[in-house]
Amino acid sequence: MKTTKLRVALVAALGLAFGSTSANAAIIDLGFSLDTSGSIGTTNFNLTRDALATALDQIPTSGANQYRVAITKFSNASNTIVAPTIVTAANIAGIKATLQATTHLGGGTCTSCAITGLYNLFNNDGGLGATTLLNITTDGFPNSQTNAEAAATTAVANGVDGISFEAVGSGITSASALANMAKIAKPDVGVVVNDINNIPNATTTGFVIKVVDFNDYEAAIKAKIGRVVDDTGGGDPNGVIPLPAGLPLLLTGFGAFGVMRLRKRKAA
C-alpha cells in the first residue's frame, strides 16, 4: 500500500512539474524600433532594415513559448511597420517582406516616441506578454534626453521587462553619448556593451551596444536576438521544454526514499 502511494505521489509530482508548463505557453514580446531620422539616410536605414529582417530568422516558430513581434520606425513620431504578431513558420516570410518594404522617412530623433510606441502596440493587443523586451536602433541623440528617460521609466513601471539599444556610428558612440543611452535603458545602472560576444541578459539588464558602423549592425542584432531567445527559453531548436529547476532534487528525494525502504525490507 505504501509503495502504491509513493508511485501515486511521484506521478502527481511529475504532472505538476510538466503539466502546467506544456499547457500554458508563455508569450514573449519582442519589440524593435528603427531610427529613420534624417541623419541616418536612406542607405544606412536600408542596411539596418535588411539586417533586422535577416536576424528575425533566429526567433523560434515552435516550442514551449510563443514569440510576438512588433516592429516600428521612428523620427518625429513612431510609425508601425509590423503590428504585434505571433511568429510562426507560416508567417515569418511575410513579416520579413513587410519590414523590407518599408522606406526611410527623415526627420528628428524622438526616442521617447519609439519606446512609447512599442509599449502601446503590445499593451493594446491584449496586454503585455509574460516577458516584454524593447529594442531600439539609433544613430543619434534623442530629441529630448529627459523625455526619453521618462518614457522608459513609465514603460518599465507598467510591465516592460527590459529596454536596450544599438548605438550605431560615430555620431552616437562617444563615451558621454553611450552613457546617456544606457541611462535611458536603465536609469543609473544601464551598461555599455563593447563586445557582442558578451551581451547581458536583456530581461534583467538595461544596456546599449556600441556598433562602430552600419556594416557591423547585422552581427550585433543577430547576437542580440540570439541571446534574447536563449534567455527567454527558446534556445532549443526542437522546442524541448527544459526540466523545472526543482525536479532533479525532487527525483533525488524519491530515489533516496526508495533506497531506505529497500534497506528496511532487507533488515526485516
Side-chain angles (χ1 to χ4, degrees):
M1 180 65 70
K2 289 182 179 179
T3 301
T4 300
K5 288 183 178 180
L6 177 62
R7 289 173 179 168
V8 170
L10 178 57
V11 170
L14 291 172
L16 287 173
F18 289 108
S20 61
T21 302
S22 59
N24 301 300
I27 293 179
I28 311 298
D29 293 331
L30 302 182
F32 301 93
S33 193
L34 299 177
D35 188 343
T36 186
S37 61
S39 62
I40 200 167
T42 298
T43 299
N44 288 333
F45 176 77
N46 291 347
L47 281 173
T48 58
R49 174 200 69 189
D50 295 344
L52 176 58
T54 298
L56 292 178
D57 283 329
Q58 296 179 99
I59 297 176
T61 56
S62 63
N65 295 331
Q66 293 181 308
Y67 288 81
R68 182 171 58 165
V69 166
I71 306 172
T72 67
K73 57 185 178 182
F74 70 101
S75 53
N76 295 326
S78 177
N79 297 268
T80 301
I81 302 171
V82 176
T85 304
I86 298 291
V87 179
T88 67
N91 68 18
I92 183 62
I95 292 172
K96 292 171 60 178
T98 299
L99 171 58
Q100 290 180 295
T102 197
T103 57
H104 178 251
L105 290 179
T109 308
C110 184
T111 305
S112 61
C113 298
I115 296 169
T116 302
L118 284 174
Y119 167 77
N120 286 339
L121 283 178
F122 287 124
N123 192 49
N124 294 335
D125 188 55
L128 303 186
T131 300
T132 300
L133 302 174
L134 308 184
N135 183 92
I136 297 161
T137 300
T138 185
D139 78 326
F141 299 92
N143 288 350
S144 169
Q145 176 75 17
T146 299
N147 288 350
E149 289 180 24
T153 298
T154 299
V156 170
N158 284 284
V160 169
D161 296 281
I163 300 173
S164 56
F165 291 83
E166 291 82 45
V168 189
S170 59
I172 193 65
T173 52
S174 68
S176 60
L178 290 170
N180 283 336
M181 196 70 65
K183 192 175 181 181
I184 299 169
K186 199 157 191 176
D188 300 323
V189 293
V191 300
V192 177
V193 177
N194 293 297
D195 180 3
I196 61 172
N197 295 310
N198 290 294
I199 295 174
N201 187 332
T203 67
T204 59
T205 306
F207 59 92
V208 52
I209 300 175
K210 177 182 177 180
V211 183
V212 175
D213 60 39
F214 288 92
N215 291 316
D216 293 330
Y217 175 71
E218 183 171 334
I221 194 64
K222 281 183 176 179
K224 160 77 82 58
I225 292 178
R227 177 64 198 265
V228 165
V229 168
D230 286 342
D231 290 336
T232 53
D236 188 337
N238 297 314
V240 177
I241 302 172
L243 290 176
L247 185 58
L249 182 61
L250 179 65
L251 294 177
T252 299
F254 277 118
F257 185 60
V259 170
M260 290 175 62
R261 286 185 53 79
L262 181 61
R263 287 177 178 172
K264 286 182 179 180
R265 285 184 180 179
K266 287 183 176 179

